[in-house]
Amino acid sequence: MEAVEKNKEYTIKIESVSSDGSGVGHINGLTVFVPQTAPNDTVRAVITEVKKSYARARLTEVIASSPDRQEADCPYYTRCGGCQLRHIRYKKQLEIKKAVVENAMRRIGGFNGFEAEEVIGAESPLRYRNKMMFPVGKTDGQTVCGFYAPKSHDIIPLGDCALGDELNTQIINAVLNYMKENSIEPYDEKTHTGTIRRIFTRKSFNTGEIMAVISAGTDNLPNAEQLVKRLRSISDRVVSIILNVNTGRLTLGNKNITLWGSDVICDTLCGIDFEISPNSFFQINPKQTEKLYRKAIEFARLDNNTRVMDIYCGIGTISLCCAKTAKSVIGVEIVRQAIENARENAVRNGIFNAEFYADSAENIVPRLIARGEQADVVILDPPRSGSDEKTLTAIIKSNAERIVYVSCNPATLARDTRLLAQNGYKLTRSAVFDMFPHTCHVETVVLMERQ
Ligand code: SAH
């Protein structure tokens, strides 16, 4: 068959969507990925990369449009790296995510004919984010703030991003105006000169309150009271204005100075209160998180005799939601600061049957099991890389009745559940959640029961 050529334009019929949100079609038997296309589109696309088993292409024209295609309701969509599925109707996005999980479970997990019980979408695919981070820099000599373009550090100046709160644009403009008035330069990543690096906002969905964080390479912003005045005049919802002192290479520095208002904002998940400081990890889409946690807890079938182990527990959100019903909970997490937050959150909510360990799962879980800690239910919520053999082997040894696996990456979920299935656990329940509408990300919860 004729080889597919780089830089040549082809007509491609799109058949499905891959896990990174690209449309998938074939030319002369070779798989081709084309971003910003939809199943049943017929498109023209120029090949940008050819590998042994696949090629990538850039969309040039939609010849015949899929019935699932919609006008992307964002003027930045084709230039911004944030969303991948915005040109596809929301209902279809959910079907695509379900299929991505099912494919991984069948192909990688060996669960033949696997079908997820349900896919749980968001009530609204917009304004769902409680946290937004906007880099500040220079484009064509102008100070700008917005988003990075895909795979680059070029800043696309942004109006409103409809995934976050409406006030973000006004917060950005207030900071840019303050910078102009006081001749403050943005930080330059290449020369390490300038001052302001990022604008970062957090929102409590429970109260509507907003924290505005200005990340800068100084602990002394000139005329900071002018900045405070500008930000406070936007809305009463702005309750906290923080200077994050960042002289290192990380996204945020470790030192925070409260310029005005509260040091933290408070939000609630499943009836538990959490205090969130600028650097804390907190789930991005709290409405969908509650649905996800409720499902995980339903799968766990807790009662006041159940001993739970929550591995990769973060600030203890799932642990504390379980603690109300269970006999006891052990939480394990590698980030020490997160474990401190988990302990504080337990006290704040009057929860005394939860214990937390700051250590890596692969290190502490085998030791906890070896010293005889019993867990009837193990909950796992690992990062994208999934769990590991040491942790999973210890769980298998522990003879836990039920394992509830929460995953943000279908490929590693499939790999890890395969190992559990080969060692006496049967996959009995599953649900797919859309935590990040318009993006290619997908979350899954499965229940494995000991046979
Ligand atoms: N369950 C929490 C957090 C899930 S995110 C929630 O719902 O909010 C995954 C967590 O795993 C992160 O907090 C990360 O710091 C932690 N983590 C990553 N690698 C780890 C490891 N090897 N051992 C323990 N925790 C780890």
Side-chain angles (χ1 to χ4, degrees):
M1 228 180 288
E2 207 179 307
V4 174
E5 276 175 56
K6 192 172 166 178
N7 296 327
K8 194 170 157 184
E9 192 174 57
Y10 292 86
T11 298
I12 310 170
K13 171 95 187 199
I14 301 300
E15 299 149 24
S16 59
V17 174
S18 70
S19 59
D20 73 354
S22 301
V24 184
H26 289 88
I27 309 171
N28 303 339
L30 187 74
T31 303
V32 186
F33 297 99
V34 196
Q36 310 218 334
T37 59
N40 293 317
D41 273 346
T42 302
V43 300
R44 296 284 287 166
V46 174
I47 302 292
T48 53
E49 186 185 355
V50 184
K51 297 269 188 195
K52 220 172 187 170
S53 60
Y54 67 90
R56 292 187 194 282
R58 176 173 44 82
L59 175 69
T60 48
E61 190 192 347
V62 179
I63 300 174
S65 186
S66 157
D68 297 313
R69 190 172 259 286
Q70 66 176 8
E71 196 59 47
D73 54 346
C74 173
Y76 313 99
Y77 180 53
T78 51
R79 291 175 294 145
C80 167
C83 295
Q84 297 80 31
L85 299 178
R86 207 144 177 165
H87 60 284
I88 298 176
R89 287 181 207 288
Y90 188 56
K91 205 165 152 254
K92 185 68 181 178
Q93 289 184 23
L94 295 177
E95 282 172 33
I96 289 169
K97 293 188 184 194
K98 184 166 178 276
V100 164
V101 172
E102 289 172 346
N103 261 330
M105 292 303 277
R106 291 174 198 167
R107 288 204 346 261
I108 305 168
F111 297 97
N112 295 329
F114 173 87
E115 276 182 39
E117 277 173 43
E118 55 184 336
V119 52
I120 296 168
E123 273 133 55
S124 163
L126 298 176
R127 309 275 177 217
Y128 61 81
R129 289 187 65 103
N130 60 9
K131 174 181 143 176
M132 299 288 272
M133 181 83 79
F134 305 101
V136 183
K138 287 237 163 172
T139 297
D140 303 328
Q142 291 281 322
T143 298
V144 292
C145 176
F147 272 136
Y148 290 130
K151 294 176 186 144
S152 114
H153 273 199
D154 295 344
I155 297 173
I156 296 164
L158 190 78
D160 180 35
C161 169
L163 302 192
D165 192 273
E166 291 97 333
L167 291 190
N168 285 331
T169 321
Q170 290 179 57
I171 291 172
I172 290 174
N173 287 335
V175 177
L176 292 179
N177 286 334
Y178 154 78
M179 288 173 73
K180 198 167 177 188
E181 203 170 271
N182 291 278
S183 308
I184 297 173
E185 289 293 305
Y187 181 77
D188 184 321
E189 282 186 348
K190 289 189 190 102
T191 58
H192 303 292
T193 54
T195 307
I196 294 195
R197 301 170 68 134
R198 286 185 181 80
I199 301 168
F200 169 47
T201 62
R202 272 188 187 281
K203 170 184 176 181
S204 162
F205 269 63
N206 190 32
T207 62
E209 292 176 347
I210 289 184
M211 168 187 271
V213 182
I214 289 80
S215 179
T218 176
D219 58 6
N220 188 14
L221 273 186
N223 296 324
E225 68 287 352
Q226 280 180 24
L227 174 65
V228 166
K229 196 170 159 207
R230 281 186 184 274
L231 289 169
R232 283 186 65 190
S233 73
I234 292 172
S235 160
D236 289 344
R237 285 168 56 208
V238 178
V239 298
S240 165
I241 302 170
I242 309 271
L243 170 63
N244 174 262
V245 185
N246 189 2
T247 49
R249 307 229 153 184
L250 297 175
T251 309
L252 283 184
N254 284 325
K255 183 173 169 188
N256 294 301
I257 298 170
T258 304
L259 298 176
W260 179 80
S262 173
D263 302 336
V264 292
I265 57 168
C266 301
D267 211 346
T268 308
L269 279 179
C270 302
I272 309 267
D273 299 325
F274 293 92
E275 262 189 13
I276 309 157
S277 52
N279 301 64
S280 299
F281 174 84
F282 195 70
Q283 291 277 352
I284 302 291
N285 180 342
K287 286 195 179 154
Q288 286 299 94
T289 299
E290 286 198 331
K291 294 185 201 168
L292 175 83
Y293 286 2
R294 292 220 162 91
K295 186 60 79 176
I297 291 169
E298 176 195 325
F299 284 2
R301 303 203 300 269
L302 304 176
D303 62 35
N304 54 14
N305 287 315
T306 319
R307 292 156 302 181
V308 178
M309 196 178 283
D310 176 20
I311 308 175
Y312 313 97
C313 71
I315 59 166
T317 40
I318 298 179
S319 310
L320 298 179
C321 292
C322 290
K324 288 196 287 189
T325 334
K327 182 178 181 200
S328 61
V329 181
I330 291 177
V332 169
E333 157 67 43
I334 199 166
V335 175
R336 192 161 295 276
Q337 176 69 46
I339 287 294
E340 281 166 24
N341 290 157
R343 290 181 182 137
E344 288 157 14
N345 286 326
V347 174
R348 181 170 305 118
N349 289 280
I351 292 171
F352 300 104
N353 59 342
E355 224 186 319
F356 293 96
Y357 293 89
D359 201 340
S360 72
E362 54 275 30
N363 208 11
I364 187 85
V365 174
R367 284 201 276 140
L368 289 172
I369 305 285
R371 79 166 194 220
E373 288 292 349
Q374 294 288 321
D376 307 298
V377 171
V378 172
I379 298 173
L380 294 162
D381 184 8
R384 286 188 63 75
S385 53
S387 191
D388 64 279
E389 247 181 88
K390 277 191 192 154
T391 306
L392 294 171
T393 307
I395 294 168
I396 292 161
K397 263 200 203 134
S398 81
N399 270 332
E401 291 287 332
R402 294 181 286 286
I403 302 172
V404 179
Y405 195 132
V406 181
S407 162
C408 56
N409 182 350
T412 54
L413 170 72
R415 179 198 69 198
D416 292 346
T417 47
R418 178 183 195 124
L419 183 79
L420 295 171
Q422 287 163 344
N423 286 279
Y425 286 89
K426 187 169 175 211
L427 200 164
T428 54
R429 304 283 309 268
S430 60
V432 172
F433 288 83
D434 190 17
M435 309 288 278
F436 300 102
H438 292 323
T439 77
C440 59
H441 297 289
V442 56
E443 198 93 5
T444 314
V445 191
V446 304
L447 171 64
M448 313 268 317
E449 297 191 67
R450 190 158 61 91
Q451 292 304 290

